[in-house]
Amino acid sequence: MGFARYIPIAFLVAGLVLVQQVTQHTGTTFYLTQLTMAAYYALVITGLCLLMGYAGQISLGHAGFFAIGGYIPAALTTYNLEPLREKWLVQTLDAAGLLTAGQDLYGQQVLHVHPWPSCILALLLTAGLAFVIGMPVLKLKGHYLAMATLGFGTIVYRVFLAMPLFGEADGISAVPPFPLLPGVTVSGDFAARTENYYIAFGLLIVGLLFLINLVHSRIGRAFRAIHGSEEAANAMGINTPRLKLQAFVISAVFAALAGVFLTHYNGGIGPSEASVMKSIRYVAIVAVGGMASLWGVFFMGILLNFMSLRGMFGTYDDAVFGVILILIMLFAPNGLLRLHLWQRMRRWRGVDKPKSRTE
Amino acid sequence: MRRTMTSLLTAMLVFCVAAFVAPVGVKAATPKAETVKVGAILAVTGGASFLGGPEARTIQMLADELNATGGINGNKIELIIKDSAGDPEKAISFAKQLIEEEKVFAILGPSTSGETMKIKTICEQAKTILLSCAAAEVIVDPVAKYVFKTPQKDSDAVKKIYGEMKRQGISKIAVMSGNTGFGQAGKGQLTKMAPEFGITIVMEEVYDKTATDLSAVVAKMMSNKDIQAVVNWSIVPAQGILAKNMRQAGWKVPLFQSHGFGNIKYVEVGGAAAEGIIFPAGRLLVADVLPNDHPQKTVLLKYKNDYEAKFKEPASTFGGHGYDAFKILCRAIGQVGPDREKVRDAIENMKGFVGTGGVFNFTPADHNGLDIDAFAMLTVKDGKFVLYNH
């Protein structure tokens, strides 16, 4: 393969620039808003693709990891530490340069944690949590694993819904922009849209490159061996528990990273981001994209989220993803882009029998 | 490799088609020159659909009615309703879409406080009028120049309840609330304002919004002989169940509910036990029995009859919030024409607007415009809502 596997990336970059230029010249840059948001969701979904498509482990709790990534920075960067300024902890943090002081929209003096430390904390916390949860949970298989991760997702949802610190049912608003580097800021300002489009897709491409390299490496082959047959992989000397855990933690961190960025981009987060419907949506999109096809999952992630965020599914939004999941599982288990429709329909009508499988 | 490239190209093609062709097609179908575009972001589906559903139906009904009768001084309203399902991220996406792409004149909704708070700054930045149908007081406090809300204040509901308790000589109470945003906000206000009225909250209980039996909680509260009354704050059938469980246990203390009780379905759940429940609410529920000279009577009766005739379901105060938002906007446009800055000023200085929620008097410092008189104390008599007369 060699460099050939990077050619699609070059095409992708060219395509992204083209989209941006076209919107610029037709005065339709507003499309970039939903594209940016879709890119962050696609980051969760490509991470989940590694876990589901390659390592063969399902997770119905990824909205939980996304929400942890979103809520921790949201809470830290909006919680006003000004009244606690005298406390030693606050003073230590301030001395370490981890806090930012300023005034809010209404002229009140505020002191918040800087987005960088809160971002790092959120990622570490997610990785740690994924590790602790993953260790026992990944011993389970199939339905049992799905149920355990579903349980985890529900717990996260309930915790965010119940804690006043996280704004309960209303979530957290007025999350400040994230000054990533000098001159590069993640923010939902109308003026910063093009910049944020490139930030989001830049992050997504870095994530993709990482995943592409990973799945083509020795570890990636081991993942696929586990997917094929865990027992056989074990017999070949692959440390299956450790590898499964690695895939789980990596995909959780991807979800959390998307959560951090999207929350700063949106300027807020609500409990709906942690809901089970979101987890199911992620799984559905991985399935549509073809499970073990990073590119398919990537494009479906962008496309379906883009359409959903533009309200194209109207009142049937959640239903659409449920139906998609069912249809894909029934008729195109390898994903929409690899659907050999005619062959399948002929087979359905019994014209030609499926090739005999050796099982 | 070839397969990757093929799928890549296919996906890009699909993507381009979806992104650019579809919206252009939609736009070409509705070319109108002299229309005022109004966006609405409402939770038509999802957990908050009991709010967004009636709001969306009401606003659509009013817009159709208005356009059929020639619009506002000839200006027709083009309504774009977006279903957010109560999800803040969708509300954000839709708000940006409505503002920039549709270039709407104003946005009605969202239905929930969480969503409203997420788009408050966006509307403020884009100088787009937002008339929220959500209740939380943080929406208009601190005041944002372009943001208004139509539902009554929670704190006024609490004042109304505590005022009545004071009159009855009640000073020790138990507070029950559902674990929803509505319940939490109400509980917060109840706790905050209790000292002001010399009331002590002896016991607090939170129950799940899906609760179907509360007899255990009732037994626990009953054992505390200090409790003189119970206040319950939620928007779920448990409101009726609680009344039932209390009467079954033979506990005879007065039961107060929030304005969330204003749906006749909950009375049906409670049956005979619901008799005598006291709660504050907008006057929509008792429109028929209001005295003829009450300023709201004609407005309320017309809305109620129109809505019920059209949708074959009882009108709720929530739909009324949508009614008020739409009518306030139309009245302001009628006064000064479709100029956004002038309309904003007109809303801010609007006085004596008779809506379903009460009589609105906006000021630069008060972007809600309702006071405690927007609430009336109601009770249940013979399975119906009636005005409470002490």
Side-chain angles (χ1 to χ4, degrees), chain A residues 30-31 33-35 41 106 168-170 172-173 188-190 193 269 272 278 295 299 309-311 315 317, chain B residues 4 8 11 15 23 45 82-83 87-90 92-94 96-97 100-101 114 117-118 125 142 181 184:
Chain A
F30 45 72
Y31 287 120
T33 300
Q34 281 85 21
L35 277 176
Y41 286 120
Y106 309 99
E168 297 176 332
D170 287 346
I172 300 174
S173 317
D189 274 2
F190 292 114
R193 184 170 27 216
I269 186 168
S272 61
K278 270 282 154 72
W295 285 108
F299 277 106
L309 288 166
R310 289 188 61 79
T315 292
D317 202 47
Chain B
T4 319
L8 185 74
F15 180 72
T45 57
K82 292 270 184 187
D83 177 10
D87 295 351
E89 69 278 7
K90 272 193 212 149
I92 293 165
S93 173
F94 293 161
K96 289 183 174 173
Q97 205 181 352
E100 289 194 301
E101 205 172 321
M117 290 310 290
K118 303 285 180 305
Q125 271 183 352
Q184 284 152 355

Side-chain angles (χ1 to χ4, degrees), chain B residues 253-390:
Chain B
V253 298
L255 174 59
F256 291 82
Q257 304 257 18
S258 71
H259 40 304
F261 191 63
N263 188 328
I264 203 73
K265 273 187 269 177
Y266 302 140
V267 175
E268 286 159 14
V269 172
E275 298 286 308
I277 287 175
I278 308 166
F279 69 105
R283 292 181 173 79
L284 182 67
L285 304 169
V286 288
D288 325 338
V289 293
L290 280 179
N292 279 329
D293 59 347
H294 193 278
Q296 281 181 276
K297 175 132 186 169
T298 36
V299 169
L300 290 174
L301 269 183
K302 178 168 183 342
Y303 168 59
K304 194 171 152 109
N305 294 338
D306 287 356
Y307 186 92
E308 288 175 359
K310 186 154 180 163
F311 300 110
K312 314 277 180 266
E313 63 174 20
S316 71
T317 50
F318 309 125
H321 301 325
Y323 176 98
D324 293 345
F326 186 82
K327 288 282 182 179
I328 287 169
L329 181 67
C330 291
R331 176 165 151 157
I333 296 174
Q335 284 169 351
V336 295
D339 178 295
R340 201 181 282 165
E341 287 303 312
K342 283 186 195 156
V343 166
R344 191 210 76 87
D345 293 344
I347 296 176
E348 193 170 83
N349 296 308
M350 193 178 283
K351 298 278 182 288
F353 170 78
V354 181
T356 64
V359 180
F360 290 81
N361 292 301
F362 290 97
T363 66
D366 180 8
H367 276 197
N368 177 214
L370 291 174
D371 58 13
I372 192 163
D373 289 332
F375 281 118
M377 276 314 240
L378 307 187
T379 186
V380 180
K381 200 176 170 206
D382 303 325
K384 286 202 179 76
F385 291 127
V386 294
L387 281 168
Y388 175 72
N389 300 309
H390 29 259

Side-chain angles (χ1 to χ4, degrees), chain A residues 16 57 81 94-95 104 115 164 170 217 260 279-280 311 338:
Chain A
L16 290 172
Q57 309 298 311
L81 295 168
D94 204 9
D104 69 5
D170 287 346
S217 69
V260 173
S279 292
I280 292 176
R338 291 196 188 158

Side-chain angles (χ1 to χ4, degrees), chain A residues 1 4-5 7-8 11-12 15 19 22-23 28 30-31 33-35 37 41 105-106 157-158 161-162 168-174 188-190 193 265-270 272-273 278 281 295 299 302-303 306-312 314-315 317-318 337-338 340, chain B residues 1 3-5 7-12 14-16 18-20 22-24 27 44-45 82-83 85-90 92-97 99-101 103 112-115 117-118 120-122 125-126 136 138 142-144 179-182 184-185 208-209:
Chain A
M1 288 291 272
R5 74 171 83 118
I7 293 175
F11 273 99
L12 175 65
V19 167
V22 167
T23 54
T28 51
F30 45 72
Y31 287 120
T33 300
Q34 281 85 21
L35 277 176
M37 292 171 81
Y41 286 120
L105 265 173
Y106 309 99
Y157 175 65
R158 284 282 157 193
L161 198 57
E168 297 176 332
D170 287 346
I172 300 174
S173 317
D189 274 2
F190 292 114
R193 184 170 27 216
Y265 181 70
N266 277 347
I269 186 168
S272 61
E273 286 288 18
K278 270 282 154 72
R281 172 175 300 202
W295 285 108
F299 277 106
I302 301 275
L303 179 69
F306 178 76
M307 291 172 77
S308 165
L309 288 166
R310 289 188 61 79
M312 285 185 187
T315 292
D317 202 47
D318 279 340
L337 298 178
R338 291 196 188 158
H340 305 296
Chain B
M1 191 57 230
R3 181 185 274 172
T4 319
M5 295 292 280
S7 62
L8 185 74
L9 288 173
T10 316
M12 277 180 121
V14 171
F15 180 72
C16 292
F20 298 104
V24 171
K27 258 185 207 144
V44 184
T45 57
K82 292 270 184 187
D83 177 10
D87 295 351
E89 69 278 7
K90 272 193 212 149
I92 293 165
S93 173
F94 293 161
K96 289 183 174 173
Q97 205 181 352
I99 290 170
E100 289 194 301
E101 205 172 321
K103 305 208 164 31
T112 68
S113 307
E115 292 169 272
M117 290 310 290
K118 303 285 180 305
K120 184 177 172 181
T121 327
I122 296 174
Q125 271 183 352
V138 284
V143 170
N179 63 349
T180 58
F182 184 80
Q184 284 152 355
D208 194 81
K209 62 183 174 192

